[in-house]
Amino acid sequence: MKREIFNSGIFTRRALLVAGAEVAVFGALGARLYKMQVVDGAKYTAMARGNSVSVRLLAASRGRIFDRYGAELATNRQNWRALLMVEQTNDPATVLDTFSKLVPLSDSERARILRELRTHQRYVPVMLQDFLSWDQMAQIEVNAPDLPGVLIDVGATRIYPQSELLSHVVGYVGPPKDADVKADPTLTMPGMRVGRTATEGFYDLDLRGHAGAQQLEVNAVGRVIRELDRQEGTPGVDLGLSIDIALQQAVADRLVGQSASAVVMDARNGEVLSMVSQPSFDPSLFDSGVSNTQWQSWMADPRKPLINKAAAGLYPPGSTFKTVTAMAAMTSGAVGPYETISCPGHFDLGNARFYCWRKGGHGPLDLKGGIKNSCDVYFYNAALRTGIGPLAAMAQRFGIGADLGVDMDNVQNGLMPTKAWHERVHHKRWALGDTVISGIGQGFILTTPLALATLASRIATGRTVGPHVARSRAGVVQTGAVAEDWPKMELSEHYFSLIRQGMWAVVNAPGGTAPAARLRLAGVQMAGKTGSAQVVRVGRYAREHGFNSLNLPWQLRPHALFIGFAPYAAPRYAVSVVVEHGNAGADIAGPIARDIMTDALHLDPAGRDHPLPPTPSALVTPSVRAS
């Protein structure tokens, strides 16, 4: 009996201990559940939702580019592409092998895909193939069960409706490089393109826009269940250029068959109305991929079609530079505006002899006569008296060898030499002979047709107009569209007038060097300056024994140049023409400039705010010219 009572007491204590332990355990669990569900409920709800939601970036539509009247120069067109969603497949390598049996991949494409599989985040789709045909899409859809993670998507192709006509002005886009992706990770999105040259390159960030995002509900293994939310990206800014497509076509027609370039500017505000470089290329090829055959063809062409000769081609300015020498000489007081200098046909400096282009010389000439006759001896003397320092400073003020702030990529500034530059680069002192030949635009001086058009504009208006191609952004006209946006150059208006009169005489007065550039329009005159820039040095013996540059091979002949502005009484348009190895500016570049100025005055893009009805691309039949 006692034993049973004793055992019963032990059992009761054990039951109490077990019950107490259970109460403690369940109490702790209850407290933990209360903290998780009530106190921290919101936190864990957000974490759970994050595990089930996948956020992916959406590429924005690239901004379009128009001419000054709204004609499309660069736009976007939908195309089909195949993407691989890495997070939706456990074996990307096998999927890639299966896909390549349906849509063949080149070695470079396969290498690119494998590289992106290693470097991209799993939530970023990898482009397998762009520009799919209908048959390729059908093959992919039929074999979808064997291609987990592969989907057909709609992308955008950059289209250039004017093709070769504006390739050097608009530029082109291409796939991003590693350095681009490092600077902006959003460029890993399929189909993203980066502006590479010209306007596409300079305004690339504006044209790209900003990426959007979509929220997708996914299961435990990352498979997409449904789309929860979508925020489209902000499209890139639309860009309106100052270019008039009708004038661009007319200028291109004038240069057909040549290795040449030409620029037409509104002399009052610097708007580039036409910029042509011949030959040209199709910019759309860079978006879809340039074949090796096409690339080798471009590289083998001595006329270099990929280079924008108007903005990046570097040439000695030749006698067009004499306008700068004239202003520097008068401003420095080295030569009086009415002082005469005699030209016997040569200029001696020590034992070196420098020749005038006219073998017998010009006799005594003042400044206007020096420009009209393009007398080398006059400007040899003017440059030597002025000195390279003041001459270089004046050239910079007129845009020669200066940064013009052009809103385009791949623009060259050219070179205006100084004593310091020469000693730093050539490790010897500047020679007086270098100053002499600089006075006629030879020696080390290099410039571009765009800078020459700027020179002509600044002479015509006396303002510091700078060339620019963007007229409006998102429909808003930019600063620089009116003359008052550009200050006066603070040089003597009297000196400007004398230079303009000399340029008028070049084209319109008897004995001027460019009678072939005279306009055939009643009551309208153009002022201009010819130039021929030597490619090889001509020795004394050749000079004195009947040298003729036309006997040289094409690639050794001088470049032919011309700058001008019109109407002379109220300048509106400035033009520059450079024909590579065209020999004589008066014979080749002058007539082309005349025809271009005629087109500009007829079309008058700077004087109207609406497009003209369709007309023939050229208003004057181009004459046949030697290359």
Side-chain angles (χ1 to χ4, degrees):
M1 182 68 177
K2 290 181 178 180
R3 185 176 182 84
E4 291 178 356
I5 294 174
F6 177 76
N7 290 337
S8 176
I10 293 174
F11 174 78
T12 303
R13 287 196 299 273
R14 288 177 177 173
L16 289 173
L17 288 173
V18 170
E22 290 177 346
V23 170
V25 169
F26 282 108
L29 289 173
R32 182 63 175 167
L33 288 172
Y34 177 82
K35 186 175 186 302
M36 291 177 64
Q37 295 183 7
V38 179
V39 178
D40 296 332
K43 171 186 174 182
Y44 289 109
T45 298
M47 291 176 66
R49 184 177 296 114
N51 288 332
S52 65
V53 175
S54 174
V55 179
R56 296 173 184 168
L57 297 176
L58 298 173
S61 175
R62 191 171 179 85
R64 298 166 297 172
I65 302 176
F66 303 90
D67 85 336
R68 66 190 295 117
Y69 300 117
E72 284 190 336
L73 308 182
T75 187
N76 308 301
R77 185 179 68 191
Q78 288 186 342
N79 68 284
W80 298 98
R81 61 192 182 187
L83 306 180
L84 175 60
M85 312 300 295
V86 183
E87 60 185 4
Q88 296 181 26
T89 179
N90 295 322
D91 191 358
T94 300
V95 172
L96 183 59
D97 290 337
T98 305
F99 180 86
S100 62
K101 294 176 182 177
L102 303 174
V103 181
L105 300 172
S106 66
D107 292 340
S108 60
E109 288 173 330
R110 192 177 184 90
R112 188 262 309 164
I113 293 169
L114 293 174
R115 183 176 66 253
E116 292 182 359
L117 287 173
R118 292 192 304 270
T119 59
H120 287 188
Q121 298 290 338
R122 288 182 60 83
Y123 60 81
V124 177
V126 172
M127 175 83 73
L128 295 181
Q129 186 66 273
D130 210 350
F131 309 105
L132 294 174
S133 67
W134 183 262
D135 290 341
Q136 289 172 328
M137 287 192 295
Q139 285 288 326
I140 294 171
E141 292 292 352
V142 169
N143 292 273
D146 298 324
L147 297 169
V150 175
L151 59 88
I152 302 297
D153 185 49
V154 178
T157 304
R158 196 64 164 170
I159 299 299
Y160 299 98
Q162 306 303 325
S163 188
E164 298 185 1
L165 181 62
L166 281 148
S167 57
H168 292 110
V169 178
V170 176
Y172 59 85
V173 297
K177 300 177 181 178
D178 291 341
D180 300 320
V181 173
K182 186 176 181 180
D184 183 0
T186 63
L187 292 176
T188 58
M189 290 183 291
M192 286 297 291
R193 294 292 185 265
V194 176
R196 291 299 180 204
T197 61
T199 308
E200 288 272 32
F202 189 89
Y203 289 101
D204 181 52
L205 293 180
D206 289 339
L207 291 166
R208 277 188 214 170
H210 300 283
Q214 65 176 160
Q215 292 186 352
L216 301 174
E217 183 178 354
V218 297
N219 60 19
V221 295
R223 299 293 174 84
V224 176
I225 299 173
R226 61 192 176 100
E227 183 179 85
L228 299 176
D229 187 33
R230 172 183 287 260
Q231 294 181 347
E232 297 293 346
T234 303
V237 173
D238 285 343
L239 203 62
L241 303 189
S242 55
I243 296 291
D244 174 19
I245 193 173
L247 181 59
Q248 182 80 359
Q249 182 65 66
V251 175
D253 289 343
R254 303 303 181 188
L255 299 180
V256 66
Q258 303 277 7
S259 181
S261 57
V263 176
V264 180
M265 284 174 53
D266 186 333
R268 303 165 304 174
N269 61 16
E271 287 186 345
V272 178
L273 304 170
S274 174
M275 180 189 293
V276 175
S277 178
Q278 292 282 33
S280 189
F281 64 95
D282 183 358
S284 298
L285 296 176
F286 285 90
D287 191 24
S288 57
V290 177
S291 68
N292 184 63
T293 301
Q294 178 63 76
W295 183 259
Q296 294 301 324
S297 174
W298 284 335
M299 293 299 99
D301 192 335
R303 301 173 301 166
K304 303 186 183 306
L306 293 181
I307 295 178
N308 180 2
K309 299 181 180 71
L314 293 175
Y315 312 91
S319 293
T320 63
F321 188 79
K322 291 173 181 175
T323 55
V324 175
T325 304
M327 181 62 81
M330 289 189 293
T331 302
S332 67
V335 177
Y338 301 105
E339 178 182 351
T340 60
I341 296 175
S342 183
C343 169
H346 61 269
F347 173 78
D348 292 329
L349 180 67
N351 60 357
R353 173 162 286 187
F354 302 87
Y355 291 89
C356 186
W357 68 268
R358 175 174 284 181
K359 190 172 182 179
H362 292 94
L365 296 171
D366 61 6
L367 182 132
K368 288 192 294 184
I371 294 176
K372 169 191 170 184
N373 294 279
S374 196
C375 176
D376 294 328
V377 170
Y378 180 97
F379 289 99
Y380 290 149
N381 280 278
L384 188 60
R385 294 187 196 179
T386 304
I388 191 61
L391 186 61
M394 187 61 69
Q396 290 270 335
R397 295 183 69 176
F398 278 95
I400 305 299
D403 183 357
L404 296 172
V406 186
D407 52 343
M408 294 175 64
D409 272 0
N410 306 101
V411 174
Q412 294 287 340
N413 295 335
L415 172 66
M416 183 62 217
T418 62
K419 290 182 179 180
W421 168 86
H422 190 267
E423 291 175 1
R424 183 176 68 254
V425 174
H426 295 278
H427 308 293
K428 58 182 180 181
R429 297 182 64 182
W430 180 266
L432 289 178
D434 292 327
T435 302
V436 170
I437 60 175
S438 293
I440 64 167
Q442 293 286 170
F444 300 105
I445 306 174
L446 293 172
T447 191
T448 66
L450 183 60
L452 290 175
T454 303
L455 166 64
S457 296
R458 292 181 179 183
I459 292 172
T461 64
R463 293 183 179 272
T464 60
V465 294
H468 52 283
V469 297
R471 192 166 196 267
S472 64
R473 295 173 68 252
V476 179
V477 176
Q478 302 297 286
T479 301
V482 296
E484 288 70 28
D485 290 336
W486 305 96
K488 288 285 188 179
M489 291 189 68
E490 298 182 352
L491 293 169
S492 168
E493 180 57 34
H494 179 56
Y495 295 163
F496 270 118
S497 178
L498 291 175
I499 294 171
R500 292 171 193 145
Q501 291 174 42
M503 294 176 67
W504 175 89
V506 166
V507 178
N508 302 285
T513 57
R518 195 171 303 155
L519 296 180
R520 300 163 183 170
L521 301 173
V524 182
Q525 295 175 321
M526 176 169 67
K529 184 68 193 77
T530 57
S532 296
Q534 291 181 357
V535 176
V536 294
R537 185 177 179 274
V538 181
R540 181 169 183 171
Y541 179 84
R543 289 280 191 183
E544 295 179 349
H545 291 80
F547 170 76
N548 187 347
S549 57
L550 284 174
N551 295 327
L552 294 171
W554 175 81
Q555 67 273 17
L556 298 181
R557 295 176 187 173
H559 301 307
L561 303 92
F562 187 92
I563 62 172
F565 61 85
Y568 174 73
R572 171 169 289 182
Y573 298 106
V575 63
S576 69
V577 175
V578 176
V579 180
E580 291 186 334
H581 311 295
N583 199 57
D587 296 336
I588 300 298
I592 294 176
R594 174 202 65 207
D595 293 345
I596 290 174
M597 186 61 78
T598 301
D599 293 330
L601 292 167
H602 273 297
L603 293 169
D604 196 23
R608 56 185 172 86
D609 56 6
H610 57 84
L612 292 176
T615 57
S617 59
L619 297 171
V620 180
T621 303
S623 57
V624 177
R625 303 181 180 93
S627 60

